[in-house]
């Protein structure tokens, strides 16, 4: 038995654009997932699978959920969030969330998994919808207010 502490890794990809001088983000309305349905969330997100890098997972999730290709070179790390999902000691309760953004992609994003989302919509960063998934709202709010500083790591 392995008693080593474990985290469940996930990646959140924020598509951003500037449209006529207004900064916008693409969000999806969760539906049919069993987790915070009826809440707005990043347009593409998911678990990092065994053998994947965070950027590999972001590229895969973007293709699966939005039908667009992104170049890993166009992804920018925003921040990492360590959080507890539920009270307790289960490894499933401890999460590490990697937030990345992209400003360039292959085609118009569209809902590829309608069983998991009711809508996909661009929002001005000054007019974000409610309700939002709380930890995603926290990070997006910090980013939009300028209080979130990206972390940069070059090599090990």
């Amino acid at each position: 038995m392995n008693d080593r502490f474990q985290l469940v890794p996930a990646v959140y990809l924020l598509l951003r654009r500037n449209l006529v001088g207004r900064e916008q983000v693409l969000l999806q309305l969760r539906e049919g997932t069993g987790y915070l349905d009826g809440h707005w969330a990043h347009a593409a997100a998911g678990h990092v699978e065994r053998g994947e890098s965070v950027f590999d997972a972001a590229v895969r999730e973007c293709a699966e959920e939005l039908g667009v290709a992104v170049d890993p070179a166009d992804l920018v790390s925003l921040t990492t969030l360590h959080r507890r999902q539920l009270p307790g000691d289960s490894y499933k309760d401890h999460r590490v969330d990697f937030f990345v953004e992209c400003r360039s992609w292959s085609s118009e994003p569209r809902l590829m998994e309608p069983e998991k989302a009711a809508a996909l919509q661009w929002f001005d960063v000054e007019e974000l919808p409610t309700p939002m998934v709380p930890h995603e709202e926290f990070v997006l709010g910090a980013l939009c207010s300028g209080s979130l500083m990206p972390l940069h790591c070059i090599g090990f």
Side-chain angles (χ1 to χ4, degrees):
M1 177 186 258
N2 185 350
D3 290 332
R4 193 173 285 176
F5 179 71
Q6 297 178 19
L7 295 169
V8 176
V11 64
Y12 297 80
L13 179 61
L14 185 62
L15 293 186
R16 292 179 69 180
R17 70 179 184 186
N18 189 295
L19 186 67
V20 193
R22 300 195 57 96
E23 195 66 24
Q24 295 185 324
V25 294
L26 186 63
L27 302 176
Q28 67 167 295
L29 182 60
R30 299 179 62 83
E31 180 179 87
T33 68
Y35 176 74
L36 295 177
D37 291 334
H39 287 67
W40 289 93
H42 284 64
H47 292 117
V48 178
E49 295 178 359
R50 185 178 305 275
E52 279 185 319
S53 72
V54 170
F55 282 5
D56 290 342
V59 168
R60 177 183 49 77
E61 290 291 345
C62 199
E64 290 175 0
E65 295 186 19
L66 303 174
V68 299
V70 298
D71 184 335
D74 291 330
L75 299 176
V76 176
S77 294
L78 296 174
T79 196
T80 303
L81 178 66
H82 177 198
R83 63 186 173 91
R84 289 183 67 180
Q85 184 70 15
L86 301 167
D89 291 328
S90 168
Y91 81 92
K92 293 180 181 178
D93 296 335
H94 292 269
R95 308 289 174 136
V96 60
D97 299 326
F98 299 93
F99 291 83
V100 299
E101 77 170 15
C102 186
R103 291 182 176 267
S104 178
W105 48 90
S106 66
S107 59
E108 189 62 31
R110 61 193 185 285
L111 278 180
M112 298 295 291
E113 299 177 324
E115 69 280 5
K116 295 181 181 179
L120 185 67
Q121 187 174 335
W122 289 99
F123 290 93
D124 288 349
V125 296
E126 296 87 16
E127 299 172 7
L128 295 174
T130 58
M132 286 188 70
V133 174
H135 66 279
E136 295 183 50
E137 180 178 27
F138 172 77
V139 170
L140 187 54
L143 175 65
C144 293
S145 71
S147 61
L148 180 68
M149 299 301 294
L151 301 172
H152 296 282
C153 178
I154 301 173
F156 287 79

